Amino acid sequence: MFVARLTDSEGEARETQTWLLYAWKCSYINAEQFINLNNQYNQIIGMLVNMMSQSQSWCTFSSINKEQK
């Protein structure tokens, strides 16, 4: 479920990038704003992809949590 939610989040971030491009092409935002926001979304997408590729470390319990149960 965790990876599925990350995948959904990645898709939403990529859709936002599409809308940013649309906003720039329609002159709702300028090139500087587009570049800045698009770069930020690239970083977010990169973090999500890293989290997906290392999902086992995010979805496992430490030995401390196991001992408390």
Side-chain angles (χ1 to χ4, degrees), residues 44-67:
I44 291 167
I45 291 167
M47 288 186 273
L48 291 169
V49 169
N50 283 337
M51 289 175 73
M52 281 186 271
S53 68
Q54 300 172 10
S55 62
Q56 290 302 320
S57 63
W58 290 91
C59 296
T60 57
F61 294 101
S62 69
S63 60
I64 294 172
N65 288 341
K66 289 179 183 177
E67 291 172 6

Side-chain angles (χ1 to χ4, degrees), residues 14-53:
R14 290 188 188 279
E15 181 182 356
T16 299
Q17 285 185 307
T18 301
W19 285 112
L20 287 171
L21 179 61
Y22 180 82
W24 175 49
K25 294 292 185 177
C26 292
S27 299
Y28 293 121
I29 60 176
N30 63 38
E32 182 181 351
Q33 291 170 315
F34 169 75
I35 291 167
N36 181 33
L37 291 168
N38 197 56
N39 286 341
Q40 288 180 43
Y41 269 90
N42 280 335
Q43 290 177 335
I44 291 167
I45 291 167
M47 288 186 273
L48 291 169
V49 169
N50 283 337
M51 289 175 73
M52 281 186 271
S53 68

